[in-house]
Amino acid sequence: MFKEFMTMPHVVFGVFGIIAAIWVAVEAANSSEGNRFRLKIASIGTTIFMLLSYLIGGWWYVVYYGVAGRSDKNIILAGPWKWSHSFFMEAKEHIFFMLIILSIMLPVVVFRNEIFKDKNIRNLTIMIALTIAFLGLGMEGFGAMITKGVKMSLLGGK
Amino acid sequence: MNTRTENRGLDKLSVGFGVSFFVASLFNALLIITKETYAPLKDWMKSLSGHHWTTHGIFVIVLFIILGFILSKTNLDEKIDAVKTSLFIIAGTVFGGLIIVGFFFKHLFE
């Protein structure tokens, strides 16, 4: 039960990270001296949620996903949607690193610059936040395809 | 009333991390190709942490942070502004993403 339950925090924290990144984009687009605190909170939230998603998802991946025996990876590779591992999981687990380092960078830009005073720095902040949200949504979609790959194997390809 | 039109330079650390993201993103993508096509490298990465993916992540994140701090100590901020930093991040995302997706693309036809 613990193993099954622990697949959930990875997805939930990823969604929270996406929401926080969009929050950063909105605050930056409407930035003023009055919302600096909210901008900082949202950027830190993005980093924390994405790191939690990475650490919990990474732990599950290393400990459960690809181990010998009846693991998700082996179930997928024995079924009709092998590419849900060999394309979607392989791409997902490495594109995630780009998402993580962007999430680390976001608060650096927010904390060390006065976003509301420069249009180009504001646009940079919005662009980083939206890229995080875009990559995060991609990860959610890739994750859905991986889950579907397991289901297709268990259903016998029907 | 706050002014939003002053042209202020992007701080050194942000510039350093912006360029570092571009480098780390390409490094990430090229390391995948190298480890997937040269088994001894993958085995060595696995021997360091127990799983090649764990080592891969540590390499990418540590490179990003260390290179970001190193670049922030230079005068890169005199040449690279917020617009160029944005371009570095877009380029890193697009090229890094395309290399990864392109490398695994053939598996879609298995």
Side-chain angles (χ1 to χ4, degrees), chain A residues 93 112-113 117-118 122, chain B residues 4 6 8 11 14 53:
Chain A
E93 70 188 52
R112 296 183 65 92
N113 297 279
K117 287 188 175 177
D118 188 282
R122 198 157 54 245
Chain B
R4 297 181 62 170
E6 291 176 31
R8 289 172 167 255
D11 90 299
S14 302
W53 180 79

Side-chain angles (χ1 to χ4, degrees), chain A residues 125-153:
Chain A
T125 308
I126 294 168
M127 192 273 295
I128 294 171
L130 292 181
T131 303
I132 290 170
F134 175 76
L135 289 175
L137 288 170
M139 296 299 97
E140 298 289 341
F142 277 37
M145 294 302 288
I146 296 158
T147 306
K148 187 79 174 173
V150 176
K151 188 189 268 187
M152 288 301 289
S153 291

Side-chain angles (χ1 to χ4, degrees), chain B residues 32-81:
Chain B
I32 295 166
I33 296 172
T34 311
K35 77 175 181 183
E36 294 295 339
T37 53
Y38 185 63
L41 175 64
K42 195 171 183 176
D43 293 340
W44 176 72
M45 288 171 70
K46 184 179 178 182
S47 72
L48 291 179
S49 67
H51 199 291
H52 66 90
W53 180 79
T54 308
T55 307
H56 194 124
I58 292 168
F59 280 1
V60 172
I61 293 169
V62 168
L63 170 71
F64 170 70
I65 292 172
I66 290 177
L67 186 62
F69 276 113
I70 290 172
L71 292 174
S72 71
K73 301 295 179 194
T74 67
N75 58 356
L76 212 59
D77 59 311
E78 292 171 11
K79 299 169 190 167
I80 298 175
D81 57 10

